[in-house]
Amino acid sequence: MSVELNHTIIHSLDNRESAEFLAHLLDLTVGTEWGPFIPVVLANGVTLDFATVPTESITVQHYAFLISEAEFDTAFGRIEEQGIEYYADPHRKHPGEINHNDGGRGVYFPDPSGHGMELITRPYGGWS
């Protein structure tokens, strides 16, 4: 049997807000609420299940999404339109910039719950 990631739970201040934020940026669909979860399904079938938890229960995590150049243009345009702060690096030393690592483009930005989101058009190390 091959091993695949099926889903992961993302703790959020507001599960609907966080799911809709990501879905809007990446042209994804917000699924039907199931128990405490609001799902967003990625192209490879992995589901991100957003769950509302108390602020003190949130541990900031990092989520990176590999997208096409055209998808990057659309998502980055939405980031700029919405005035979302963004950086070329995860340490936030290069605000208002994107990176061109491995011959692609990348950007880091926070989601509504403070998680570090990353969009890249090329995998690290040039793997495809």
Side-chain angles (χ1 to χ4, degrees):
M1 175 176 161
S2 62
V3 177
E4 295 181 4
L5 179 64
N6 177 264
H7 69 277
T8 192
I9 297 170
I10 300 177
H11 289 171
S12 307
L13 297 173
D14 179 318
N15 60 357
R16 171 95 27 214
E17 178 186 26
S18 291
E20 290 178 354
F21 171 84
L22 185 64
H24 173 71
L25 286 181
L26 299 179
D27 277 333
L28 299 170
T29 301
V30 175
T32 303
E33 186 170 356
W34 182 74
F37 307 112
I38 305 287
V40 174
V41 181
L42 305 180
N44 60 350
V46 173
T47 302
L48 304 178
D49 294 330
F50 290 88
T52 300
V53 298
T55 302
E56 62 274 8
S57 296
I58 293 179
T59 300
V60 174
Q61 299 292 315
H62 175 80
Y63 300 93
F65 302 92
L66 178 62
I67 61 178
S68 71
E69 291 287 340
E71 290 164 330
F72 187 93
D73 289 339
T74 299
F76 185 64
R78 290 177 179 154
I79 289 168
E80 289 187 309
E81 287 168 9
Q82 294 179 32
I84 298 167
E85 61 185 49
Y86 63 90
Y87 305 85
D89 64 301
H91 304 292
R92 299 181 175 194
K93 293 182 180 179
H94 300 279
E97 299 177 30
I98 65 170
N99 67 59
H100 297 277
N101 298 340
D102 294 299
R105 293 184 289 166
V107 66
Y108 295 82
F109 59 96
D111 87 333
S113 297
H115 294 298
M117 300 294 183
E118 178 183 10
L119 305 178
I120 56 175
T121 61
R122 295 283 306 268
Y124 292 125
W127 304 301
S128 41

